Amino acid sequence: MAQSTLPDGRVDLDDHAEIRDSRFYNSELAPVPVEKRTWTTYNYFALWMGMAHNIPSYTLAASLIVLGMDWLQAFLTITIANLIVLIPMLLNSHPGTKYGIPYPVFARAYYGVRGANLAALLRAFIACGWFGIQTWVGSEALYVIVGKLVGDSWINASQIGGQPWTLWLCFAIFWVFQMLIIWRGMDAVRRFENWTAPLVSVGFLILMAYVLVKAGGVGPILSAPSKLGWGADFWKVFAPALMAMIAFWSTLSLNMPDFTRFSKGQRQQVRGQILGLPTTMSFIALVAIFTTSGAQLLFPGDAIWDPAQLAARFSSPALVVIAMVALVLATVSCNLAANVVSPSYDFSNAFPKRISFAVGGLITGVIGIAIQPWRLISDPNIYIFTWLGFYGGVLGAVAGVLIAGYWLRDRTQLFLSDLYVDRGRYWFSGGWNWRAVAATVVGALIAVGGAYTAPGTAGPFPADGVIPFLKPFYDYSWVAGLVVGFVVYWALSITRTSTASTPARMQEGEVIV
């Protein structure tokens, strides 16, 4: 089927008629027509502002202070991590803009039309966990807002499952509100991101200003020494913390094609992301670092790394309500873009004719509850070293496969129609490419096979590592997964016939090996 290439390099599929009835096709997974690719640099900058300025981003930076870093160590760790993760993010964004395809369809080129479900569902289930976490912390903020207006009867309500029933009510309201937005589709998400982007910083700035005034300015914070120093104790924490910071956005480094497929061109999405990710994350990191450091001075002995819990300590109801409303909007903005869009496409990819984008979002919401997010966010050690560290290594392996395949093996050349049919270029063997699966398994095994729990901290892994001789790699889980996945897939693919030399459509029973 003919595909046209525009002067700017973007590719459009001339006619969808021959693939529309394929079981691997639906209108939401189909290539976006060039005339509908309208997102500008501002759209991507606003998207990143909406995704980065949220409560989990705050707690990410705040947790480093709780773990013993000073403000400079925490800021450098987060800044370096975001500059590193920006590289695979831009590399995997390119095919979305060029071909107008979402992440799970892009993955079909390397995992196979069926095998792409492995890469897609790995990303989807992690997004479900993040959706649950974001919804829980957002509901805590809503709980604090209402508590300041209603009084102690709301805050000290009778408990169910270890939490006040009023908090569970806020969780349910917050969940339903997000589902209503996602049910209206991607355009509703874009509009919501655009108008909330300038507002999401307000709550954090209010919190920071209040704490700094009470703590006597930034002087005491800047002069506070690191509990880790700059020696061996710091470097033991720095490496796994850096991997956790990278893992925080490693999910988006895979599924950014879900957004860049709507871009007017490569320049718009690249500029928007470069302007958006490092700057907004550095900003929220500084706000979180100063606020948490100041809170330690105001409340000695209490490690308050959750902004909702910190705001609950303030005496001014007006201050709390203004700050928390902004935080709630920020959390919804991030959750919709980062944690619902991707799994909606991913679940739709598994059953294109049965699961729409909206139904995929509903599935995400249900799994996000079942994963019990209040447990994942309960402890900074579990949050960073277990949750972020483990899944970062697994997704790093997937990113390595996609980068090696798209940039080295295929030199950015894909055949759109074959991504939606069986017995085409990307059918491989039974719809699976064993090379990509093998590279992912090996990369993930090296990255997280040595997962361990540090002595004196909570966690599900043995102190010596699940596989002891792989323990050193776990501190570098994302890098290990990315490098091993990349190298193994490239090595296995060298012997495979280039997709460019294979027939446009294979005969029945013929399989590419």
Side-chain angles (χ1 to χ4, degrees), residues 105-158:
V105 174
F106 171 47
R108 292 175 183 179
Y110 307 103
Y111 285 86
V113 176
R114 286 175 172 167
N117 286 317
L118 171 66
L121 293 178
L122 280 174
R123 168 65 180 100
F125 286 120
I126 290 167
C128 292
W130 270 119
F131 173 83
I133 289 174
Q134 293 270 22
T135 302
W136 180 254
V137 297
S139 65
E140 283 186 318
L142 185 60
Y143 167 76
V144 170
I145 293 172
V146 179
K148 286 296 180 182
L149 297 175
V150 174
D152 291 341
S153 61
W154 179 271
I155 298 296
N156 299 318
S158 59

Side-chain angles (χ1 to χ4, degrees), residues 78-133:
I78 291 176
T79 300
I80 293 170
N82 287 311
L83 291 174
I84 291 173
V85 79
L86 184 63
I87 297 171
M89 194 168 296
L90 292 177
L91 291 175
N92 284 331
S93 293
H94 189 278
T97 302
K98 183 172 182 177
Y99 296 99
I101 54 176
Y103 160 66
V105 174
F106 171 47
R108 292 175 183 179
Y110 307 103
Y111 285 86
V113 176
R114 286 175 172 167
N117 286 317
L118 171 66
L121 293 178
L122 280 174
R123 168 65 180 100
F125 286 120
I126 290 167
C128 292
W130 270 119
F131 173 83
I133 289 174

Side-chain angles (χ1 to χ4, degrees), residues 291-359:
T291 305
T292 306
S293 298
Q296 287 184 331
L297 297 175
L298 292 177
F299 308 105
D302 291 340
I304 308 173
W305 61 305
D306 185 330
Q309 294 179 12
L310 176 61
R313 300 280 189 102
F314 299 160
S315 58
S316 170
L319 172 73
V320 174
V321 170
I322 293 173
M324 289 294 100
V325 166
L327 296 183
V328 167
L329 288 176
T331 302
V332 174
S333 178
C334 173
N335 220 12
L336 292 176
N339 304 315
V340 180
V341 170
S342 175
S344 294
Y345 284 128
D346 296 338
F347 288 127
S348 180
N349 185 73
F351 301 98
K353 296 300 185 184
R354 297 182 179 180
I355 299 179
S356 65
F357 178 83
V359 172

